[in-house]
Amino acid sequence: MSNKVIQAIYTDDDVLLGAVKKVKAAHHHIEEIYTPFPVHGLDKAMGLAPTRIAIASFIYGCIGLAVAIAMMNYIMIEDWPQNIGGKPSFSFLDNMPSFVPIMFELTVFFAAHLMVITFYLRSKLWPFKAAENPDVRTTDDHFLMEVAVSGNEEELSAFLKDTGAVEVKVSEKH
């Protein structure tokens, strides 16, 4: 299903931020904003919910810690106990101080890798996916705001020009 959007292009991030606030105050729906770099405060101005990736990261770290503990207990205590430097191999707790670096490394490894995978899946960034960038200038020095057309196109175009847009065009979004 395709729908019409108005693409407003800005050359300054502060002008874009002010424009987003004006567009939201006028109760227009912003489809997407394309920027060449992260703009501080843009997520709040758009009214986006805070991300939950930190919670996922904590859970992934706990999974990594559990895997590290289970792996070291099985390998070093149950399956093939070894006398390394005179340290007894009778229990996991006796040897836990020497296992702390491994537990830390696997916690960080699992948290980092699973967060990247979660980010790609959540963002729908599949391998070999075609870029969805509507204007190549947004990868260099321009900012683009897509606003859904719900009524008078000319009025909305004039409104976006008044917010500081240097270029406004209507296009179909698929």
Side-chain angles (χ1 to χ4, degrees), residues 39-82:
V39 177
H40 182 70
L42 187 59
D43 53 344
K44 281 187 179 178
M46 289 180 65
L48 297 176
T51 181
R52 296 183 300 261
I53 194 107
I55 297 168
S57 174
F58 177 75
I59 291 169
Y60 297 152
C62 290
I63 291 170
L65 181 64
V67 167
I69 290 171
M71 179 188 73
M72 288 181 302
N73 185 52
Y74 177 73
I75 293 171
M76 297 298 288
I77 305 301
E78 294 175 16
D79 185 44
W80 195 269
Q82 299 175 24

Side-chain angles (χ1 to χ4, degrees), residues 63-128:
I63 291 170
L65 181 64
V67 167
I69 290 171
M71 179 188 73
M72 288 181 302
N73 185 52
Y74 177 73
I75 293 171
M76 297 298 288
I77 305 301
E78 294 175 16
D79 185 44
W80 195 269
Q82 299 175 24
N83 186 354
I84 300 172
K87 295 179 183 175
S89 298
F90 304 126
S91 73
F92 180 79
L93 292 177
D94 290 339
N95 293 322
M96 193 171 81
S98 61
F99 293 155
V100 168
I102 300 167
M103 291 188 295
F104 172 76
E105 291 297 329
L106 279 178
T107 300
V108 172
F109 179 84
F110 271 68
H113 285 79
L114 291 176
M115 265 189 353
V116 168
I117 291 169
T118 300
F119 172 75
Y120 283 145
L121 291 175
R122 182 71 179 99
S123 301
K124 297 183 179 101
L125 292 174
W126 318 118
F128 310 111

Side-chain angles (χ1 to χ4, degrees), residues 8 10-13 15 38 43 47 49 59 110 115 117 142 146-147:
Y10 299 87
T11 55
D12 186 49
D13 57 337
V15 174
D43 53 344
I59 291 169
F110 271 68
M115 265 189 353
I117 291 169
H142 285 67
E146 285 185 346
V147 181

